Amino acid sequence: MEKNIIVLVSGGGTNLQALIDAEKNGEIIGGKITCVISSNPNAYALERAKNNGISTRVIPRREYADSKSYSMAVLDALDEEKADLIVLAGFMTILDECITSKYAYKIINVHPALIPSFCGEGFYGLKVHEKALEYGVKVSGATIHFVNEKADAGAIILQGVVDVKKDDTPEVLQKRIMENVEWKLLPKAVSLFCQDRIEIVGGKAYVTE
Ligand code: GAR
């Protein structure tokens, strides 16, 4: 049976677009994007979903007092949508344990750095690239990983690297990482998951043939 993929977004949604394009090209084997949920009513990602006939839900983060009450609302939506896989594609809210425990090893996130560098609470979007440039690292990249109860600490599925150049701005580095790593590896990891080709051994993730 094809898996129901629910994508959670907060912003521009270029990673969502990469997933939509991959699905159209037959590159997501065994799964289908059935719903997009946004924490931000104005996210352009919602337009991308609508333009492609994908149903959308908005659960505004600012209407909830804390992460727990917000996560309970998202959990209800995920259950209603019969989620088999949840993809955080530029989703800027940390999910509470009520979701991460129920959907253990069923939530995939894309983080724009090489975990365990430049990750955890407060490291999101352009801030990640600002910190990497400030540190002076010579390579950076992105990590596709499972989500557990600690921010950016779940099992790593795939990572890819790019060079950091002397004159890079956070925006330039972000674009290089998105184009060369995120937009390729996120659809790849989603397809591997939908084919049951990610094995967990001792809390670590391995891709099987
Ligand atoms: C992406 O670079 C993604 O890796 C990052 O935000 C951007 C969202 O772009 N996510 C995080 O920082 C999560 N901690 P998009 O909305 O165009 O996909």
Side-chain angles (χ1 to χ4, degrees):
M1 260 261 290
E2 227 173 31
K3 290 185 168 59
N4 291 337
I5 304 167
I6 313 297
V7 186
L8 273 54
V9 297
S10 303
T14 64
N15 278 289
L16 169 66
Q17 189 67 53
L19 289 167
I20 293 171
D21 293 346
E23 185 182 312
K24 278 192 182 153
N25 294 334
E27 289 161 18
I28 308 283
I29 300 166
K32 190 173 168 21
I33 304 167
T34 50
C35 183
V36 169
I37 301 177
S38 177
S39 62
N40 166 12
N42 302 315
Y44 184 68
L46 288 166
E47 302 308 313
R48 297 181 189 270
K50 287 173 195 158
N51 290 341
N52 288 278
I54 301 168
S55 77
T56 59
R57 288 182 180 230
V58 177
I59 309 178
R61 177 64 183 87
R62 60 163 189 263
E63 288 181 10
Y64 295 82
D66 50 32
S67 164
K68 173 105 192 168
S69 57
Y70 183 70
S71 297
M72 300 276 270
V74 174
L75 183 59
D76 282 346
L78 294 171
D79 288 347
E80 277 172 29
E81 294 292 338
K82 299 192 181 1
D84 296 309
L85 169 64
I86 299 147
V87 181
L88 311 188
F91 186 66
M92 299 306 183
T93 295
I94 292 177
L95 293 172
D96 181 83
E97 214 177 330
C98 67
I99 293 187
T100 57
S101 58
K102 181 160 183 191
Y103 286 94
Y105 295 109
K106 289 183 177 173
I107 311 173
I108 289 177
N109 180 45
V110 51
H111 182 73
L114 296 170
I115 291 176
S117 291
F118 311 114
C119 64
E121 255 185 274
F123 285 88
Y124 58 86
L126 271 180
K127 286 189 191 182
V128 177
H129 308 295
E130 276 164 22
K131 294 284 179 197
L133 291 176
E134 211 172 280
Y135 201 96
V137 291
K138 301 299 175 245
V139 294
S140 191
T143 303
I144 317 298
H145 65 95
F146 284 114
V147 173
N148 65 11
E149 69 290 347
K150 279 175 69 190
D152 298 326
I156 292 172
I157 305 166
L158 298 171
Q159 288 185 302
V161 300
V162 302
D163 286 336
V164 177
K165 297 179 185 168
K166 186 159 173 275
D167 296 326
D168 276 350
T169 61
E171 289 80 4
V172 167
L173 181 57
Q174 178 183 56
K175 185 162 180 275
R176 188 178 307 123
I177 292 174
M178 282 178 154
E179 286 176 353
N180 293 284
V181 188
E182 299 186 40
W183 301 343
K184 292 180 180 164
L185 293 193
L186 183 61
K188 184 174 176 183
V190 166
S191 186
L192 288 167
F193 179 93
C194 291
Q195 296 169 73
D196 296 318
R197 284 180 55 198
I198 306 175
E199 187 184 28
I200 306 297
V201 183
K204 296 188 185 67
Y206 299 93
V207 174
T208 60
E209 282 314 310

